[in-house]
Amino acid sequence: DTGVSQNPRHKITKRGQNVTFRCDPISEHNRLYWYRQTLGQGPEFLTYFQNEAQLEKSRLLSDRFSAERPKGSFSTLEIQRTEQGDSAMYLCASWRSGGLGNEQFFGPGTRLTVL
Amino acid sequence: GESVGLHLPTLSVQEGDNSIINCAYSNSASDYFIWYKQESGKGPQFIIDIRSNMDKRQGQRVTVLLNKTVKHLSLQIAATQPGDSAVYFCAENKSSSYKLIFGSGTRLLVRP
């Protein structure tokens, strides 16, 4: 257990529905990252926050995706009008700036299945 | 473009033997590299990291080697154990960017 938690762990939804995932990072970590991972592939960067500010978004993050970190603590990732291609594992990671390296601590992920 | 890739998708080793997992990267501007271990149903777990000003770094039973000339990274696991069975990813990072770029992974299978 890295101290990063994600909920729910699994989500099954029908195409066209909206889904929201939550990530609770390690409390003193000010950076929070979202990644997406498909079977057999490494995680792909989606976006990251420094405290409550969203500083970078990947071109993978279409207009249907939105992420927030309103108080600089937990974060939510919402997908609107889900498509089958959105089926993947969504991973959250946190990191404390000022540390020795860029080690990111990952949560267990939320596995999304879009039917 | 930027990419991190692996030579072998699956590596099978006998318990007790040493394992070597290789990774090639293409972005010469990357200055930080990490190896992650991922077990089924879990998120990636940090194993060891290395900066570009180093060639070698050792941890407990693990060693990471970095060859910047050929843009090659390797992870050596000594005395491989059944608990080492997992998928291993290398990832790269530039100091000016905060995102990690992952390769596609190598599955390590440890035979008893």
Side-chain angles (χ1 to χ4, degrees):
Chain A
D1 183 5
T2 62
V4 180
S5 61
Q6 292 186 247
N7 288 288
R9 294 293 309 277
H10 303 274
K11 179 69 177 180
I12 300 174
T13 191
K14 293 182 179 180
R15 188 176 54 186
Q17 297 295 304
N18 299 344
V19 294
T20 300
F21 311 139
R22 175 176 170 132
C23 170
D24 287 89
I26 297 171
S27 59
E28 67 268 23
H29 286 191
N30 53 5
R31 287 191 195 155
L32 186 149
Y33 304 78
W34 285 99
Y35 291 84
R36 181 173 68 187
Q37 185 178 27
T38 54
L39 192 63
Q41 300 298 313
E44 296 176 291
F45 171 81
L46 292 178
T47 188
Y48 97 95
F49 293 83
Q50 172 98 2
N51 299 313
E52 67 275 8
Q54 188 173 18
L55 298 185
E56 186 174 347
K57 293 194 294 185
S58 164
R59 62 182 181 276
L60 295 174
L61 214 63
S62 75
D63 292 343
R64 297 184 296 105
F65 288 70
S66 62
E68 295 182 345
R69 194 183 184 197
K71 297 181 180 180
S73 55
F74 73 91
S75 176
T76 58
L77 177 67
E78 180 183 17
I79 308 175
Q80 296 181 327
R81 305 181 302 282
T82 53
E83 301 173 356
Q84 288 184 326
D86 297 331
S87 295
M89 175 77 83
Y90 290 84
L91 293 162
C92 173
S94 71
W95 178 69
R96 179 177 59 85
S97 60
L100 295 178
N102 291 339
E103 178 186 348
Q104 295 178 18
F105 295 85
F106 283 84
T110 294
R111 180 167 294 285
L112 173 66
T113 301
V114 182
L115 303 176
Chain B
E2 301 172 351
S3 68
V4 176
L6 298 175
H7 299 306
L8 298 174
T10 303
L11 177 65
S12 180
V13 299
Q14 190 75 36
E15 180 179 357
D17 288 351
N18 297 334
S19 303
I20 300 176
I21 301 173
N22 296 301
C23 174
Y25 66 95
S26 60
N27 191 341
S28 57
S30 293
D31 56 9
Y32 180 71
F33 304 88
I34 309 176
W35 280 100
Y36 281 93
K37 171 186 179 183
Q38 188 173 27
E39 297 174 287
S40 181
K42 297 183 179 181
Q45 175 188 356
F46 173 88
I47 300 174
I48 192 168
D49 58 358
I50 188 168
R51 292 203 169 276
S52 58
N53 60 354
M54 304 170 68
D55 298 322
K56 179 180 179 179
R57 189 158 188 236
Q58 288 185 295
Q60 187 175 13
R61 281 202 308 120
V62 294
T63 301
V64 55
L65 299 177
L66 175 63
N67 186 330
K68 295 180 289 295
T69 302
V70 295
K71 298 177 188 172
H72 184 267
L73 193 68
S74 69
L75 176 70
Q76 300 178 357
I77 304 174
T80 313
Q81 302 170 358
D84 294 327
S85 293
V87 177
Y88 289 80
F89 295 96
C90 64
E92 64 176 305
N93 174 263
K94 292 185 293 185
S95 295
S96 59
S97 169
Y98 299 109
K99 62 186 179 184
L100 293 174
I101 300 171
F102 285 82
S104 56
T106 292
R107 181 174 299 279
L108 176 64
L109 300 175
V110 182
R111 304 188 304 272

Short mmCIF file of all heavy atoms in Angstrom, two decimals, chain A residues 2 9 31 33 35 37 40-43 45 48 56 89 91 95 100-109, chain B residues 31-32 34 36 38 41-46 49 51 89 93-95 97-105:
data_model
loop_
_atom_site.label_atom_id
_atom_site.label_comp_id
_atom_site.label_asym_id
_atom_site.label_seq_id
_atom_site.Cartn_x
_atom_site.Cartn_y
_atom_site.Cartn_z
N THR A 2 0.74 2.08 -1.05
CA THR A 2 1.59 3.26 -1.18
C THR A 2 1.04 4.45 -0.42
O THR A 2 1.74 5.45 -0.26
CB THR A 2 1.72 3.65 -2.65
OG1 THR A 2 0.41 3.99 -3.16
CG2 THR A 2 2.29 2.51 -3.48
N ARG A 9 -12.72 0.96 -7.30
CA ARG A 9 -11.68 0.12 -7.89
C ARG A 9 -12.11 -0.40 -9.25
O ARG A 9 -11.29 -0.58 -10.15
CB ARG A 9 -11.36 -1.04 -6.96
CG ARG A 9 -10.72 -0.63 -5.64
CD ARG A 9 -9.31 -0.06 -5.86
NE ARG A 9 -8.49 -0.95 -6.66
CZ ARG A 9 -7.83 -1.99 -6.18
NH1 ARG A 9 -7.88 -2.27 -4.89
NH2 ARG A 9 -7.10 -2.75 -6.98
N ARG A 31 1.88 17.37 -5.65
CA ARG A 31 1.64 17.08 -7.05
C ARG A 31 0.81 15.81 -7.19
O ARG A 31 1.06 14.81 -6.51
CB ARG A 31 2.95 16.90 -7.81
CG ARG A 31 3.69 18.20 -8.04
CD ARG A 31 4.82 18.01 -9.00
NE ARG A 31 5.74 19.15 -8.95
CZ ARG A 31 7.00 19.10 -9.29
NH1 ARG A 31 7.53 17.97 -9.72
NH2 ARG A 31 7.77 20.17 -9.22
N TYR A 33 -0.99 13.25 -10.27
CA TYR A 33 -0.96 12.90 -11.68
C TYR A 33 -2.08 11.89 -11.98
O TYR A 33 -2.41 11.05 -11.15
CB TYR A 33 0.36 12.23 -12.04
CG TYR A 33 1.59 13.03 -11.73
CD1 TYR A 33 2.08 13.10 -10.43
CD2 TYR A 33 2.29 13.70 -12.74
CE1 TYR A 33 3.22 13.83 -10.14
CE2 TYR A 33 3.43 14.42 -12.46
CZ TYR A 33 3.90 14.49 -11.16
OH TYR A 33 5.03 15.20 -10.88
N TYR A 35 -2.95 8.99 -14.98
CA TYR A 35 -2.46 8.22 -16.11
C TYR A 35 -3.55 7.26 -16.54
O TYR A 35 -4.41 6.88 -15.76
CB TYR A 35 -1.22 7.39 -15.74
CG TYR A 35 0.04 8.18 -15.47
CD1 TYR A 35 0.27 8.75 -14.21
CD2 TYR A 35 1.01 8.35 -16.45
CE1 TYR A 35 1.43 9.46 -13.96
CE2 TYR A 35 2.18 9.06 -16.21
CZ TYR A 35 2.38 9.61 -14.96
OH TYR A 35 3.53 10.31 -14.70
N GLN A 37 -3.95 3.41 -18.46
CA GLN A 37 -3.19 2.22 -18.85
C GLN A 37 -4.12 1.20 -19.50
O GLN A 37 -5.13 0.81 -18.91
CB GLN A 37 -2.51 1.59 -17.63
CG GLN A 37 -1.61 0.42 -17.97
CD GLN A 37 -0.90 -0.13 -16.76
OE1 GLN A 37 -1.37 -0.03 -15.64
NE2 GLN A 37 0.27 -0.75 -16.97
N GLY A 40 -1.45 -4.56 -21.30
CA GLY A 40 -0.17 -4.85 -21.93
C GLY A 40 0.68 -3.63 -22.24
O GLY A 40 1.78 -3.77 -22.77
N GLN A 41 0.16 -2.46 -21.90
CA GLN A 41 0.91 -1.23 -22.17
C GLN A 41 1.30 -0.54 -20.87
O GLN A 41 0.74 -0.79 -19.81
CB GLN A 41 0.04 -0.28 -23.01
CG GLN A 41 -0.40 -0.84 -24.34
CD GLN A 41 0.77 -1.15 -25.26
OE1 GLN A 41 1.68 -0.34 -25.42
NE2 GLN A 41 0.78 -2.33 -25.84
N GLY A 42 2.28 0.34 -20.99
CA GLY A 42 2.64 1.15 -19.84
C GLY A 42 1.65 2.28 -19.65
O GLY A 42 0.92 2.64 -20.58
N PRO A 43 1.62 2.85 -18.48
CA PRO A 43 0.72 3.99 -18.24
C PRO A 43 1.05 5.17 -19.16
O PRO A 43 2.21 5.42 -19.48
CB PRO A 43 1.00 4.35 -16.78
CG PRO A 43 1.54 3.09 -16.17
CD PRO A 43 2.33 2.44 -17.27
N PHE A 45 0.50 9.31 -19.63
CA PHE A 45 0.19 10.53 -18.89
C PHE A 45 -1.06 11.21 -19.44
O PHE A 45 -1.24 11.34 -20.66
CB PHE A 45 1.39 11.48 -19.00
CG PHE A 45 1.14 12.86 -18.47
CD1 PHE A 45 1.20 13.11 -17.12
CD2 PHE A 45 0.84 13.90 -19.34
CE1 PHE A 45 0.98 14.39 -16.64
CE2 PHE A 45 0.62 15.18 -18.87
CZ PHE A 45 0.68 15.42 -17.51
N TYR A 48 -1.67 16.63 -14.83
CA TYR A 48 -1.16 16.71 -13.48
C TYR A 48 -1.48 18.05 -12.83
O TYR A 48 -1.72 19.05 -13.52
CB TYR A 48 0.33 16.38 -13.42
CG TYR A 48 1.28 17.55 -13.42
CD1 TYR A 48 1.76 18.07 -12.22
CD2 TYR A 48 1.73 18.10 -14.60
CE1 TYR A 48 2.64 19.12 -12.21
CE2 TYR A 48 2.61 19.15 -14.62
CZ TYR A 48 3.08 19.67 -13.42
OH TYR A 48 3.96 20.72 -13.42
N GLU A 56 -0.66 20.82 -16.67
CA GLU A 56 -0.40 20.23 -17.98
C GLU A 56 -1.46 19.19 -18.30
O GLU A 56 -1.90 18.45 -17.42
CB GLU A 56 0.99 19.57 -18.03
CG GLU A 56 1.37 19.06 -19.42
CD GLU A 56 2.79 18.53 -19.50
OE1 GLU A 56 3.58 18.77 -18.56
OE2 GLU A 56 3.12 17.88 -20.51
N MET A 89 -7.47 1.11 -17.39
CA MET A 89 -7.20 1.33 -15.98
C MET A 89 -6.77 2.79 -15.83
O MET A 89 -5.89 3.26 -16.56
CB MET A 89 -6.06 0.42 -15.50
CG MET A 89 -5.63 0.66 -14.07
SD MET A 89 -6.77 -0.04 -12.88
CE MET A 89 -6.15 -1.73 -12.87
N LEU A 91 -5.04 5.41 -13.47
CA LEU A 91 -4.13 5.44 -12.34
C LEU A 91 -3.87 6.85 -11.86
O LEU A 91 -3.76 7.78 -12.66
CB LEU A 91 -2.78 4.81 -12.73
CG LEU A 91 -2.79 3.32 -13.04
CD1 LEU A 91 -1.54 2.94 -13.82
CD2 LEU A 91 -2.87 2.51 -11.77
N TRP A 95 3.27 12.97 -5.75
CA TRP A 95 4.68 13.23 -5.56
C TRP A 95 4.84 14.53 -4.79
O TRP A 95 4.11 15.48 -5.01
CB TRP A 95 5.38 13.35 -6.92
CG TRP A 95 6.83 13.68 -6.84
CD1 TRP A 95 7.83 12.88 -6.37
CD2 TRP A 95 7.46 14.90 -7.22
NE1 TRP A 95 9.04 13.53 -6.46
CE2 TRP A 95 8.85 14.77 -6.98
CE3 TRP A 95 6.99 16.10 -7.76
CZ2 TRP A 95 9.76 15.77 -7.24
CZ3 TRP A 95 7.90 17.11 -8.03
CH2 TRP A 95 9.26 16.94 -7.77
N LEU A 100 14.09 14.09 -3.44
CA LEU A 100 15.33 13.79 -4.12
C LEU A 100 15.13 13.48 -5.59
O LEU A 100 15.99 13.73 -6.42
CB LEU A 100 16.04 12.63 -3.42
CG LEU A 100 16.51 12.89 -1.99
CD1 LEU A 100 17.13 11.65 -1.39
CD2 LEU A 100 17.50 14.06 -1.97
N GLY A 101 14.04 12.90 -5.92
CA GLY A 101 13.83 12.49 -7.30
C GLY A 101 12.42 12.75 -7.73
O GLY A 101 11.69 13.50 -7.09
N ASN A 102 12.06 12.14 -8.84
CA ASN A 102 10.72 12.32 -9.36
C ASN A 102 9.87 11.08 -9.13
O ASN A 102 8.98 10.77 -9.90
CB ASN A 102 10.78 12.63 -10.85
CG ASN A 102 11.37 14.00 -11.10
OD1 ASN A 102 11.38 14.84 -10.22
ND2 ASN A 102 11.86 14.22 -12.29
N GLU A 103 10.17 10.36 -8.05
CA GLU A 103 9.42 9.16 -7.76
C GLU A 103 7.96 9.48 -7.54
O GLU A 103 7.61 10.35 -6.73
CB GLU A 103 9.96 8.47 -6.50
CG GLU A 103 9.18 7.22 -6.12
CD GLU A 103 9.63 6.64 -4.80
OE1 GLU A 103 10.69 7.06 -4.29
OE2 GLU A 103 8.91 5.78 -4.26
N GLN A 104 7.13 8.82 -8.28
CA GLN A 104 5.69 8.99 -8.14
C GLN A 104 5.11 7.74 -7.51
O GLN A 104 5.41 6.63 -7.91
CB GLN A 104 5.06 9.27 -9.50
CG GLN A 104 5.54 10.59 -10.09
CD GLN A 104 4.97 10.88 -11.47
OE1 GLN A 104 3.97 10.30 -11.88
NE2 GLN A 104 5.59 11.80 -12.18
N PHE A 105 4.26 7.95 -6.51
CA PHE A 105 3.62 6.85 -5.80
C PHE A 105 2.24 6.62 -6.41
O PHE A 105 1.41 7.53 -6.41
CB PHE A 105 3.48 7.17 -4.31
CG PHE A 105 4.80 7.32 -3.61
CD1 PHE A 105 5.46 8.54 -3.62
CD2 PHE A 105 5.37 6.25 -2.94
CE1 PHE A 105 6.68 8.69 -2.98
CE2 PHE A 105 6.59 6.40 -2.29
CZ PHE A 105 7.24 7.61 -2.32
N PHE A 106 2.02 5.43 -6.91
CA PHE A 106 0.78 5.12 -7.61
C PHE A 106 -0.26 4.49 -6.70
O PHE A 106 0.07 3.72 -5.79
CB PHE A 106 1.05 4.17 -8.78
CG PHE A 106 1.65 4.84 -9.97
CD1 PHE A 106 3.01 5.05 -10.06
CD2 PHE A 106 0.84 5.28 -11.02
CE1 PHE A 106 3.57 5.68 -11.16
CE2 PHE A 106 1.39 5.91 -12.12
CZ PHE A 106 2.76 6.11 -12.19
N GLY A 107 -1.51 4.82 -6.99
CA GLY A 107 -2.61 4.14 -6.35
C GLY A 107 -2.91 2.84 -7.06
O GLY A 107 -2.27 2.51 -8.07
N PRO A 108 -3.91 2.09 -6.59
CA PRO A 108 -4.24 0.79 -7.18
C PRO A 108 -4.99 0.88 -8.50
O PRO A 108 -5.11 -0.11 -9.22
CB PRO A 108 -5.11 0.13 -6.11
CG PRO A 108 -5.75 1.29 -5.42
CD PRO A 108 -4.72 2.38 -5.41
N GLY A 109 -5.48 2.08 -8.82
CA GLY A 109 -6.18 2.27 -10.08
C GLY A 109 -7.67 2.01 -10.01
O GLY A 109 -8.17 1.36 -9.09
N ASP B 31 16.64 12.87 -18.23
CA ASP B 31 17.72 12.89 -17.25
C ASP B 31 17.39 12.11 -15.99
O ASP B 31 18.13 12.15 -15.00
CB ASP B 31 18.11 14.33 -16.90
CG ASP B 31 16.94 15.16 -16.41
OD1 ASP B 31 15.86 14.58 -16.16
OD2 ASP B 31 17.10 16.38 -16.29
N TYR B 32 16.29 11.41 -16.01
CA TYR B 32 15.90 10.65 -14.82
C TYR B 32 15.13 9.42 -15.29
O TYR B 32 14.25 9.53 -16.15
CB TYR B 32 15.04 11.53 -13.91
CG TYR B 32 14.57 10.87 -12.64
CD1 TYR B 32 15.45 10.59 -11.60
CD2 TYR B 32 13.23 10.57 -12.46
CE1 TYR B 32 15.01 10.00 -10.43
CE2 TYR B 32 12.78 9.98 -11.30
CZ TYR B 32 13.67 9.70 -10.29
OH TYR B 32 13.23 9.12 -9.13
N ILE B 34 13.32 5.53 -14.07
CA ILE B 34 12.77 4.75 -12.96
C ILE B 34 12.36 3.38 -13.47
O ILE B 34 11.85 3.26 -14.60
CB ILE B 34 11.52 5.42 -12.35
CG1 ILE B 34 11.78 6.90 -12.02
CG2 ILE B 34 11.07 4.69 -11.10
CD1 ILE B 34 10.55 7.61 -11.49
N TYR B 36 9.67 0.42 -12.49
CA TYR B 36 8.49 0.09 -11.70
C TYR B 36 8.15 -1.38 -11.88
O TYR B 36 8.35 -1.96 -12.94
CB TYR B 36 7.28 0.92 -12.14
CG TYR B 36 7.24 2.34 -11.62
CD1 TYR B 36 7.76 3.39 -12.36
CD2 TYR B 36 6.65 2.63 -10.39
CE1 TYR B 36 7.70 4.70 -11.89
CE2 TYR B 36 6.59 3.94 -9.92
CZ TYR B 36 7.12 4.96 -10.67
OH TYR B 36 7.07 6.25 -10.20
N GLN B 38 4.86 -3.98 -11.54
CA GLN B 38 3.41 -3.98 -11.45
C GLN B 38 2.88 -5.40 -11.39
O GLN B 38 3.06 -6.18 -12.33
CB GLN B 38 2.77 -3.23 -12.63
CG GLN B 38 1.28 -3.03 -12.47
CD GLN B 38 0.68 -2.13 -13.54
OE1 GLN B 38 1.21 -2.04 -14.65
NE2 GLN B 38 -0.41 -1.46 -13.22
N GLY B 41 -3.53 -6.42 -11.08
CA GLY B 41 -4.57 -5.73 -10.31
C GLY B 41 -4.07 -4.63 -9.40
O GLY B 41 -4.85 -4.06 -8.63
N LYS B 42 -2.77 -4.30 -9.51
CA LYS B 42 -2.21 -3.28 -8.65
C LYS B 42 -1.59 -2.17 -9.48
O LYS B 42 -1.30 -2.34 -10.67
CB LYS B 42 -1.15 -3.87 -7.72
CG LYS B 42 -1.69 -4.90 -6.74
CD LYS B 42 -0.58 -5.39 -5.82
CE LYS B 42 -1.13 -6.41 -4.82
NZ LYS B 42 -0.06 -6.89 -3.89
N GLY B 43 -1.35 -1.03 -8.85
CA GLY B 43 -0.65 0.05 -9.52
C GLY B 43 0.84 -0.21 -9.55
O GLY B 43 1.35 -1.07 -8.83
N PRO B 44 1.57 0.50 -10.40
CA PRO B 44 3.03 0.34 -10.45
C PRO B 44 3.68 0.67 -9.10
O PRO B 44 3.27 1.61 -8.43
CB PRO B 44 3.45 1.36 -11.52
CG PRO B 44 2.23 1.56 -12.36
CD PRO B 44 1.08 1.46 -11.41
N GLN B 45 4.68 -0.12 -8.77
CA GLN B 45 5.40 0.05 -7.51
C GLN B 45 6.84 0.42 -7.81
O GLN B 45 7.52 -0.27 -8.58
CB GLN B 45 5.32 -1.25 -6.71
CG GLN B 45 6.12 -1.25 -5.42
CD GLN B 45 6.17 -2.62 -4.77
OE1 GLN B 45 5.54 -3.57 -5.23
NE2 GLN B 45 6.91 -2.74 -3.69
N PHE B 46 7.31 1.50 -7.22
CA PHE B 46 8.68 1.96 -7.42
C PHE B 46 9.69 0.90 -6.99
O PHE B 46 9.55 0.29 -5.93
CB PHE B 46 8.89 3.24 -6.61
CG PHE B 46 10.31 3.73 -6.59
CD1 PHE B 46 10.75 4.60 -7.57
CD2 PHE B 46 11.20 3.35 -5.60
CE1 PHE B 46 12.06 5.07 -7.56
CE2 PHE B 46 12.50 3.80 -5.58
CZ PHE B 46 12.93 4.67 -6.56
N ASP B 49 15.61 4.02 -8.99
CA ASP B 49 15.73 5.11 -9.96
C ASP B 49 17.21 5.45 -10.17
O ASP B 49 18.08 5.03 -9.41
CB ASP B 49 14.94 6.34 -9.53
CG ASP B 49 15.37 6.88 -8.16
OD1 ASP B 49 16.26 6.26 -7.51
OD2 ASP B 49 14.80 7.90 -7.72
N ARG B 51 19.72 8.82 -12.01
CA ARG B 51 19.84 10.07 -12.75
C ARG B 51 20.86 9.91 -13.86
O ARG B 51 21.72 9.03 -13.81
CB ARG B 51 20.24 11.21 -11.81
CG ARG B 51 19.16 11.57 -10.81
CD ARG B 51 19.32 12.99 -10.29
NE ARG B 51 18.15 13.41 -9.54
CZ ARG B 51 17.05 13.90 -10.11
NH1 ARG B 51 16.99 14.02 -11.42
NH2 ARG B 51 16.05 14.27 -9.36
N PHE B 89 8.26 -2.13 -15.81
CA PHE B 89 8.27 -1.00 -16.73
C PHE B 89 9.45 -0.09 -16.42
O PHE B 89 9.73 0.20 -15.26
CB PHE B 89 7.00 -0.15 -16.58
CG PHE B 89 5.73 -0.83 -16.96
CD1 PHE B 89 4.93 -1.42 -16.01
CD2 PHE B 89 5.32 -0.87 -18.29
CE1 PHE B 89 3.74 -2.05 -16.36
CE2 PHE B 89 4.14 -1.49 -18.66
CZ PHE B 89 3.35 -2.09 -17.69
N ASN B 93 11.98 10.60 -17.65
CA ASN B 93 11.47 11.89 -17.25
C ASN B 93 12.53 12.94 -17.53
O ASN B 93 13.73 12.67 -17.42
CB ASN B 93 11.14 11.85 -15.75
CG ASN B 93 10.73 13.19 -15.20
OD1 ASN B 93 11.55 13.89 -14.63
ND2 ASN B 93 9.47 13.54 -15.36
N LYS B 94 12.08 14.12 -17.92
CA LYS B 94 12.99 15.26 -18.05
C LYS B 94 12.74 16.21 -16.91
O LYS B 94 11.61 16.40 -16.50
CB LYS B 94 12.73 15.98 -19.38
CG LYS B 94 13.10 15.17 -20.61
CD LYS B 94 12.91 16.01 -21.86
CE LYS B 94 11.44 16.31 -22.11
NZ LYS B 94 11.24 17.03 -23.40
N SER B 95 13.77 16.83 -16.42
CA SER B 95 13.62 17.75 -15.30
C SER B 95 12.65 18.87 -15.60
O SER B 95 11.98 19.38 -14.72
CB SER B 95 14.99 18.35 -14.93
OG SER B 95 15.84 17.35 -14.48
N SER B 97 10.02 18.62 -17.35
CA SER B 97 8.66 18.08 -17.49
C SER B 97 8.39 17.18 -16.30
O SER B 97 9.28 16.48 -15.84
CB SER B 97 8.56 17.28 -18.79
OG SER B 97 7.35 16.55 -18.84
N TYR B 98 7.19 17.17 -15.84
CA TYR B 98 6.88 16.41 -14.64
C TYR B 98 6.19 15.09 -14.93
O TYR B 98 5.87 14.36 -14.02
CB TYR B 98 6.01 17.26 -13.72
CG TYR B 98 6.71 18.53 -13.30
CD1 TYR B 98 6.31 19.77 -13.78
CD2 TYR B 98 7.81 18.47 -12.45
CE1 TYR B 98 6.97 20.92 -13.41
CE2 TYR B 98 8.48 19.62 -12.08
CZ TYR B 98 8.05 20.84 -12.55
OH TYR B 98 8.70 21.97 -12.19
N LYS B 99 5.99 14.78 -16.17
CA LYS B 99 5.31 13.53 -16.49
C LYS B 99 6.32 12.43 -16.75
O LYS B 99 7.44 12.66 -17.20
CB LYS B 99 4.43 13.71 -17.73
CG LYS B 99 5.21 14.09 -18.97
CD LYS B 99 4.29 14.39 -20.14
CE LYS B 99 5.08 14.78 -21.36
NZ LYS B 99 4.21 15.18 -22.49
N LEU B 100 5.93 11.22 -16.44
CA LEU B 100 6.72 10.04 -16.74
C LEU B 100 6.28 9.45 -18.07
O LEU B 100 5.08 9.41 -18.36
CB LEU B 100 6.57 8.99 -15.64
CG LEU B 100 7.13 9.34 -14.26
CD1 LEU B 100 6.77 8.25 -13.26
CD2 LEU B 100 8.63 9.52 -14.32
N ILE B 101 7.24 9.00 -18.86
CA ILE B 101 6.94 8.31 -20.11
C ILE B 101 7.34 6.86 -19.93
O ILE B 101 8.51 6.56 -19.68
CB ILE B 101 7.70 8.95 -21.28
CG1 ILE B 101 7.29 10.41 -21.43
CG2 ILE B 101 7.42 8.18 -22.58
CD1 ILE B 101 8.14 11.18 -22.40
N PHE B 102 6.37 5.98 -20.04
CA PHE B 102 6.57 4.57 -19.78
C PHE B 102 6.75 3.78 -21.07
O PHE B 102 6.19 4.12 -22.11
CB PHE B 102 5.35 3.97 -19.06
CG PHE B 102 5.25 4.34 -17.60
CD1 PHE B 102 4.72 5.55 -17.22
CD2 PHE B 102 5.68 3.45 -16.63
CE1 PHE B 102 4.62 5.89 -15.87
CE2 PHE B 102 5.57 3.77 -15.29
CZ PHE B 102 5.04 4.99 -14.91
N GLY B 103 7.50 2.69 -20.96
CA GLY B 103 7.57 1.71 -22.02
C GLY B 103 6.41 0.74 -21.90
O GLY B 103 5.54 0.88 -21.04
N SER B 104 6.40 -0.28 -22.76
CA SER B 104 5.28 -1.21 -22.81
C SER B 104 5.41 -2.37 -21.85
O SER B 104 4.50 -3.14 -21.70
CB SER B 104 5.09 -1.74 -24.23
OG SER B 104 6.27 -2.34 -24.68
N GLY B 105 6.50 -2.55 -21.18
CA GLY B 105 6.61 -3.55 -20.13
C GLY B 105 7.23 -4.87 -20.54
O GLY B 105 7.14 -5.28 -21.70
#
